Amino acid sequence: MTRRTQAALAAAIAATLTLGLGACAKDKDTDNSADSSAATSTKGPGADSGTIIGGTPVKGGTLTVLTNQDFAHLDPARNWVVPHMDFGTRLLYRTLTTFKAEPGPAGSEIVPDLATDLGKSSEGGKVWTFTLKDGLKYEDGTPIKAADVKYNVERSFSPDLTGGPDYAAQYLAGGENYKGPLNGEHLASIETPDDKTIVFHLKRPVAEFSYTVTLPTFSPVPQSREKGTQYDSQVFSSGPYKIETYDRGKQLVLVRNTNWDAATDPVRKAYPDKIVVTQGLKGGQADDRIIASSGVDASAIEMPWMQHESVSKVLTKPEVKARMAAERTGCTDMLYLNTAKAPFDDPKVREAMMWAVDREAQVTAFGGPAMADVATSYLPPSLTGGAKADPLKIPVTGDPAKAKDLLKAAGKSDLKVSLTVSLGDKTRAEAIQQSLAKSGVQVTVNTVDASAFADTVGDTKNAPDLVIQGWCPDYPSGATFLPFLFDGRTIKEKGNQGNYSQFRDQATMDRMDQIAAMTDINEANKAWQQLDEDLLKKAPAIPLMWQRRPLLTGTNVAGAFGNSGYAGMIDMAVIGLKDPAKSQG
């Protein structure tokens, strides 16, 4: 598809939109004044704000999930990728606290899950204590114990179990040199005085620790079930479903965990009897199957989301459009520059790249203004009070002439660099390739299967020059965003996530520590926003766009909406079927 055809398609899509996004109901999410020349539509395809597609589900039947990829990780110590985190924490394991299962802004609010409350802090927020509910059991009927939560948190430190959230390593006292429990060592800063009580001792006060423990790291894994790297395929369930069969890359089948007690769980409804994940679909097969919604596909959803080139097929069919949601993600997509080696170890070259990239072309390649807005900062509007910060005032289409001058001044004209993307982002990579060519930068594009992408670009010794990847806050705080992207202390040789730029800057790290020590959350939020502006001038990455998730369901699916707590993904906690008797499988 040519650039001109894509632009025409994007304009046609925008012209047909009449219904709002779930997350657009709040005024702060609809402010597009910062960039009048960019994609300014605040509306997207799909159901009206707050609508739950299909109404309330009926218990029973088989829900089918169609996907082109296997799970990166289901092991809760390693699961940190949307939508796999949503899938794991809603279906297979529970955490100390969790997000509400509600559409709109309420989806970012938290409630107790395994714990009886949101935790009790002491010593100025450096010690947090949680008490487990009564009646919690695993899939075999054995009780869930506080020591099992401790054990999984400890597993997250293991060098062999890469890919998971880094919060435990960042926050827990005495974790600097800890290498996990696989060699028999345990972490003294997590105490379990009895089977119901777990106490975390932190390096510093963390006012938002109740949110931190929504992450899969803080779910239980009994030591007796340890399988190392093989635990990905043999997850021991504490949630409403358990694994019946798992043929990696082909099919995962979940059935009910009969020892899960709904009386202990305020969020998960577990409507389907069975959930079948069909993997390895090619191209737009999943889109076409759910659009047609025939047979088993009438009771299907897809993961992670529709291909954006398929959106036009939906918008021309009102009956299909009514089955589509497009929640804002609260995430920022970026082009990461590998600052660990030439040429991007030079700040002047990075500044040139900031001016060279055509961000409007990224929006067009992604499906147009219906599906994304041009990003003008690292922090998304959801973390800046709804305002779209734009401190650099760079044209959305870039300025190739200025980029050329900056490269010439740096003595780096005629650059040749590599760009690695997930297979589904090939069109966007080609748009980067074309825009950088105007500034004399030659880009070689390499594509990687989605299931292997995180591990490929997370190998720092062999990391490419450029990577396209997004970052979503784990909860509504700048503390879950900038430190993971640009704190040099988070970089790992293997399984590196977030800081794909390998950016190490002492002044930045010092300021992050100062902000982290602030006890006034409002003061901290202002400081994160100022740091965002300072980092943009150092240009370790280029903000590209703020996207929406196009989510389509079959005609027999009910209870579907995008949850803002999970970056706009369909909330698996409450999805089900209109008529279980019509499902197959």
Side-chain angles (χ1 to χ4, degrees):
M1 183 182 292
T2 66
R3 165 81 183 277
R4 182 174 179 179
T5 305
Q6 287 175 317
L9 173 60
I13 290 173
T16 66
L17 302 179
T18 59
L19 299 174
L21 289 168
C24 288
K26 296 185 70 175
D27 291 341
K28 72 175 186 177
D29 289 330
T30 60
D31 179 9
N32 291 278
S33 58
D35 192 353
S36 60
S37 62
T40 58
S41 171
T42 62
K43 296 182 177 181
D48 284 321
S49 174
T51 297
I52 299 175
I53 297 172
T56 303
V58 175
K59 191 172 183 178
T62 298
L63 175 72
T64 298
V65 180
L66 305 179
T67 181
N68 65 348
Q69 59 187 262
D70 194 0
F71 292 93
H73 297 292
L74 281 178
D75 183 336
R78 311 181 72 183
N79 188 350
W80 202 18
V81 178
V82 171
H84 304 162
M85 190 162 60
D86 173 22
F87 189 93
T89 57
R90 293 315 218 187
L91 301 177
L92 288 171
Y93 30 83
R94 299 172 63 180
T95 46
L96 290 174
T97 65
T98 192
F99 290 102
K100 289 183 176 179
E102 295 185 22
S108 293
E109 298 174 13
I110 59 172
V111 292
D113 190 359
L114 291 174
T116 57
D117 55 29
L118 298 181
K120 293 179 173 62
S121 65
S122 56
E123 297 186 24
K126 290 183 66 176
V127 177
W128 283 81
T129 302
F130 296 86
T131 303
L132 300 189
K133 296 172 181 174
D134 294 330
L136 301 173
K137 297 178 181 179
Y138 290 107
E139 63 179 76
D140 67 348
T142 57
I144 295 171
K145 299 179 180 179
D148 303 337
V149 178
K150 170 182 168 74
Y151 185 73
N152 190 48
V153 176
E154 292 175 334
R155 294 175 75 245
S156 72
F157 286 81
S158 301
D160 293 337
L161 303 180
T162 58
D166 290 337
Y167 290 93
Q170 286 198 34
Y171 290 169
L172 287 170
E176 293 81 2
N177 299 310
Y178 182 60
K179 300 299 181 183
L182 301 185
N183 60 1
E185 295 183 15
H186 296 283
L187 199 57
S189 55
I190 309 176
E191 297 177 330
T192 53
D194 55 55
D195 287 346
K196 293 290 185 65
T197 307
I198 184 165
V199 183
F200 299 96
H201 296 265
L202 311 182
K203 298 175 185 176
R204 59 170 178 80
V206 179
E208 303 150 335
F209 197 67
S210 293
Y211 276 88
T212 305
V213 298
T214 63
L215 291 160
T217 312
F218 298 90
S219 62
V221 173
Q223 185 171 358
S224 62
R225 293 283 173 166
E226 180 63 78
K227 300 290 183 182
T229 57
Q230 299 304 309
Y231 194 74
D232 261 335
S233 302
Q234 302 176 44
V235 173
F236 191 54
S237 176
S238 56
Y241 295 92
K242 63 182 180 181
I243 295 175
E244 182 179 64
T245 60
Y246 190 5
D247 187 358
R248 300 216 58 161
K250 296 180 180 179
Q251 187 182 76
L252 170 69
V253 178
L254 304 184
V255 295
R256 290 192 182 280
N257 170 12
T258 56
N259 285 294
W260 169 78
D261 184 355
T264 70
D265 195 330
V267 173
R268 301 167 186 83
K269 302 304 180 186
Y271 287 114
D273 290 332
K274 181 186 292 186
I275 298 174
V276 177
V277 183
T278 301
Q279 303 171 336
L281 299 178
K282 304 299 182 183
Q285 286 180 326
D287 299 339
D288 292 340
R289 285 176 57 172
I290 297 180
I291 289 171
S293 197
S294 175
V296 67
D297 299 331
S299 302
I301 61 173
E302 64 179 304
M303 189 171 65
W305 47 78
M306 285 184 66
Q307 293 193 358
H308 297 83
E309 47 268 47
S310 296
V311 171
S312 59
K313 301 177 185 179
V314 172
L315 298 181
T316 56
K317 301 174 181 177
E319 72 282 2
V320 180
K321 182 180 173 183
R323 298 189 269 117
M324 183 177 177
E327 291 288 344
R328 284 186 171 174
T329 64
C331 311
T332 304
D333 280 21
M334 285 162 274
L335 180 68
Y336 294 83
L337 315 180
N338 188 344
T339 66
K341 63 179 183 179
F344 300 127
D345 57 345
D346 186 339
K348 287 295 182 183
V349 176
R350 301 200 300 269
E351 182 185 4
M353 293 290 286
M354 191 75 84
W355 287 86
V357 171
D358 183 341
R359 290 168 292 151
E360 190 172 66
Q362 286 294 293
V363 170
T364 301
F366 196 67
M371 303 316 305
D373 298 319
V374 166
T376 52
S377 62
Y378 299 128
L379 291 177
S382 61
L383 297 183
T384 58
K388 291 188 175 182
D390 187 11
L392 300 183
K393 307 297 183 187
I394 296 173
V396 296
T397 55
D399 188 335
K402 181 164 184 173
K404 279 186 176 181
D405 290 343
L406 288 168
L407 287 171
K408 184 177 180 180
K412 299 287 177 62
S413 299
D414 301 317
L415 285 180
K416 295 181 180 179
V417 296
S418 65
L419 167 61
T420 296
V421 296
S422 178
L423 188 60
D425 283 331
K426 184 179 179 182
T427 302
R428 295 177 59 197
E430 291 169 346
I432 291 286
Q433 187 180 52
Q434 292 166 16
S435 67
L436 292 184
K438 297 176 184 177
S439 301
V441 180
Q442 297 181 43
V443 178
T444 300
V445 174
N446 300 306
T447 58
V448 179
D449 184 80
S451 62
F453 178 75
D455 290 338
T456 300
V457 299
D459 180 355
T460 55
K461 286 188 176 181
N462 299 298
D465 300 313
L466 302 169
V467 170
I468 293 179
Q469 180 65 304
W471 189 261
C472 307
D474 288 308
Y475 46 86
S477 169
T480 72
F481 209 92
L482 296 178
F484 291 93
L485 297 178
F486 303 123
D487 187 337
R489 293 164 293 190
T490 67
I491 300 170
K492 298 178 181 178
E493 183 176 334
K494 297 285 187 181
N496 186 49
Q497 290 201 75
N499 195 345
Y500 295 116
S501 299
Q502 298 187 51
F503 183 66
R504 291 180 173 89
D505 178 71
Q506 192 60 50
T508 297
M509 292 186 287
D510 290 344
R511 185 54 181 156
M512 287 178 176
D513 289 344
Q514 292 167 4
I515 299 171
M518 294 178 181
T519 56
D520 186 319
I521 293 177
N522 290 328
E523 180 186 0
N525 286 338
K526 291 178 182 178
W528 287 124
Q529 292 176 44
Q530 181 58 54
L531 181 59
D532 185 57
E533 182 174 335
D534 297 340
L535 280 164
L536 284 165
K537 296 172 183 176
K538 297 179 180 181
I542 300 166
L544 298 177
M545 65 184 187
W546 294 308
Q547 63 173 271
R548 301 181 176 102
R549 308 283 192 215
L551 310 168
L552 189 66
T553 71
T555 54
N556 193 36
V557 172
F561 58 86
N563 187 308
S564 56
Y566 290 100
M569 294 304 308
I570 287 179
D571 195 328
M572 300 299 293
V574 292
I575 197 166
L577 305 174
K578 296 177 184 177
D579 185 352
K582 292 182 179 179
S583 67
Q584 302 175 26

